[in-house]
Amino acid sequence: MKHLRKLSYPYLVWMVLLVFVPTLLVLLLSVSDLDVFNAGPFRLTFEWIEFLGKPKVTNAVRNSIYYSFLATFFSFLIGYPVAYYLASLKTRFKTFYVTLLIIPIWSNMLLRIIAWEKLFFPISILNMFGISFDLIGTDYAILIGMVSMYLPFMVLPIYSVLEKMDRSLVDAAKDLGANDFQTFYKVIFPLSISGVVSGTIMTLLPAMTAFALPERLGAGKIQLIGNVIEDYFLKTNNINAGSLISILLMVVIVFMFIAILRFDKEGETLI
Amino acid sequence: MIDRLKKAPFIMVTAFSYFIIYFPIFVIVLLSVNASPSGQTFTEFSFVWYKEIFLNERLLTAIFNTLLVAVISTAVATVVGTLTAIGINSLTKTYRIRFMILNNVPVINPDIVTGLSLMLVFSLLPISFGMPTMLLAHIFFSIPFVVLTVLPKLKELDPNLMDAALDLGCNYFEGVVKVIIPSIKTAIIAGALIAFTMSIDDFVISYFTTGNGFQNVSIWIYSRLGRRTFSPAVYAYNTLVVFLTIGVLGYINVNNIIRVKRRSEK
Amino acid sequence: MDKVLVELKNIKKSYDDTEVIHNLSLYIKENEFLTLLGPSGCGKTTLLRIIGGFETHDDGQVIFDGQDMKDTPAYQREINTVFQNYALFPHLNVFDNVAFGLRIKKLDKDTIDTKVKNALRLVKLEGYEQRPVSKMSGGQQQRVAIARAIVNEPKLLLLDEPLGSLDLKLRQDMQYELKEMQESLGISFIFVTHDQEEALTMSDTVVVMKDGVIQQIGRPEDIYNEPKNRFTASFIGESNIVEGVMKEDYLVHFEGLDFTCVDKGFAKNEPIDIVIRPEDIVLAAPADDRINGVVDDIIFKGVHYEIIVLVNGREYIIHSTDPVNVGDEVSLNFDPDEIHVMKRTDEASS
């Protein structure tokens, strides 16, 4: 088998180049006036730090935390029972129901956001069913949109852990006198924690960094950190300040990685 | 697991989640057969936007670009990802775990971080932004998914399988091609399917790594949001993609059910 | 039967910093059934894999049929292997699994057909050609694995605990079949197992290993009757091992008494270990010049009773067809040639 190890080496080089080099670049850009597109002499500077104090940025950070935590919380609240119910099904259509959760991913996310956007205006296509919402630009709009987009990412990892769980453990718990509720919180839930951690992270991070969703459903009034990064990197071309702000994100991501590593070393719950 | 608990609340929550996930898709389907260009109200049932897909040249190009990038990146990612997974599987446990941490970086990283990272690296390379950079980016984020799909299947295989192939006269290349790859065929197909999906659906990473006017469908949509050039034909395109997916997955599923049934009857 | 087929000279092998095989030398003759016997982690499987070419040794030589195998990869050796858990190719049916090696050698279709048929007949699996291997029982899978190996007509067949996952009855049947197969094929087998009964039943030669070192090589009878040390004695069959002193040739002292024995050649008053097999001890009424004790337990084992007698706080195991009662006072009786004296090894009593 040892001879086969070589097969993994090219990818290792590729990953190191495309993961570590940009991370170092971001760090360098955030403390210098380097222009990546016309690389030349540059000097170190801390002038970008003042951007962190701008209301645009502080608001975005606050909004990112607020919306992503709420959306993740609601996704978990809904997603766990769904995963639990699907895993407990004994019908042969079980995989079909699970597949149904994946199908929406084939539908373009931007279009799904646009669909919600159109519904949240008082005058919408829903009027023909006698329904009218006026939610555009509210917290509800953003949270409904986020849960709708990211709920499958919460359900699937939890489902896959519950599905693989040895059913005799549940029988054993009951045999030892645990009632349904005790069986759940003493046996089933602790054993599904790796799925919960993966699901939480797979929901939290995209929600925190979304930019098309808050822009459309927030009617341009609500900005998340993703909007600020998009703005600095692609619109106002202030890549150095953008890099500094993305370091904030990277710190969060590092903590998420540590959390995932504690529960699922090889990432088996990620898909 | 659930027999003695009351089923009803679970069914309600599950129904509600399917509803909230599928509702926008239902609306997209509705908009695709709505004659109104603004989509604000339902004016008249019409297939006009389905015809429009083939008349809107910019949209057609975007669809073509999406498929082109998806097909090439899937092919490359499937080959590289499978071979890499075989390599990772033969590492010792410590190195395998370290390797997988690296592999999972693009999976866990939010798209925007992957996108801006790749944009920065590509800016240092002597290639112009556009199709090549977007393709490289898609290969980059697809490989980890192939590795993640193939590796668990490899771990299930008898650890002596490769040795058995060598024992019977295969060299290393023949062993991989004649024994290992056929044994994990289903996982490779699943990995390719996931890679294809991720590529077709991607917006954020493509958005950060494209340039010189090269647009896939997502970028086409984003650049036209709230503008007159936005054509509801894209709703029609999306509806076709979803129904095609349902068809393909349904076919696989039904086939599986029939196979399981036939086996149990035997 | 006399020509040497494989010779291992001073083989050394380490993983990381632990040496798993220490300077090991061994030879296997043509047409010999040799068993590597030892507890898990003793290096037996590693040794087998070195012979097969799946591991490279750090030092020493593997000489196969007169040639050093140093630069011969596994796929060029005239050796085939039956793997632990069989390693059958899951995507191929029985026929294609067995035909695999022949197809790699690019033999013509008719020859392959004939050879596969013959191999399947030999393992009694005719008619199963088109079965997927996943639909076969453990015993059948094992036969496929054997057929897949022997169809290539190797000079040497390596078997890595192939009977480990079979149930008792099937395992016993397979032991005889394997021995028969080895004799009719006229090739050498190297068989790895941790099951001493398996080793004693089938082998021409048994190699007892521990911690990468050969403890004893010999015919099954010799290994059982004349264990060279405490480890072999306790690993092969049940035994009573007692420390004693060799007073002079043919006179041994243990449990406070002198006994005549048939061993000689030790130093005067050399501390030694004594082994007495449970079936060699006969219980009788207590007597002054005998080892006396009290029956502590008696367990019915089917063919015999296993009786535990406590002597000065030490347990003796006795196999007897006559029952006794717990609490009975008894004496232990054995003939001089049933006392087997071994050199003292410095390991703690196991």
Side-chain angles (χ1 to χ4, degrees), chain A residues 119-122 133-142 144 217:
Chain A
L119 300 178
F120 289 150
F121 281 108
F133 293 118
D134 186 7
L135 292 175
I136 202 76
T138 65
D139 288 3
Y140 294 111
I142 293 197
I144 291 173
L217 304 184

Side-chain angles (χ1 to χ4, degrees), chain A residues 160-173 183 187-188 191, chain B residues 1:
Chain A
S160 76
V161 173
L162 287 174
E163 165 68 4
K164 278 183 218 140
M165 205 168 74
D166 186 354
R167 292 300 144 85
S168 57
L169 293 173
V170 175
D171 295 338
T183 305
V187 178
I188 299 173
L191 285 172
Chain B
M1 273 185 354

Side-chain angles (χ1 to χ4, degrees), chain B residues 105-159:
Chain B
V105 169
V107 179
I108 297 171
N109 255 355
D111 286 353
I112 199 165
V113 173
T114 306
L116 72 88
S117 299
L118 291 176
M119 175 186 156
L120 292 177
V121 181
F122 293 157
S123 71
L124 296 179
L125 300 178
I127 40 172
S128 56
F129 277 76
M131 151 84 180
T133 45
M134 198 201 277
L135 182 61
L136 276 178
H138 281 232
I139 292 170
F140 173 76
F141 71 69
S142 296
I143 297 176
F145 286 98
V146 177
V147 172
L148 273 175
T149 324
V150 172
L151 196 61
K153 185 77 191 169
L154 279 170
K155 280 201 229 158
E156 277 173 25
L157 293 182
D158 190 318

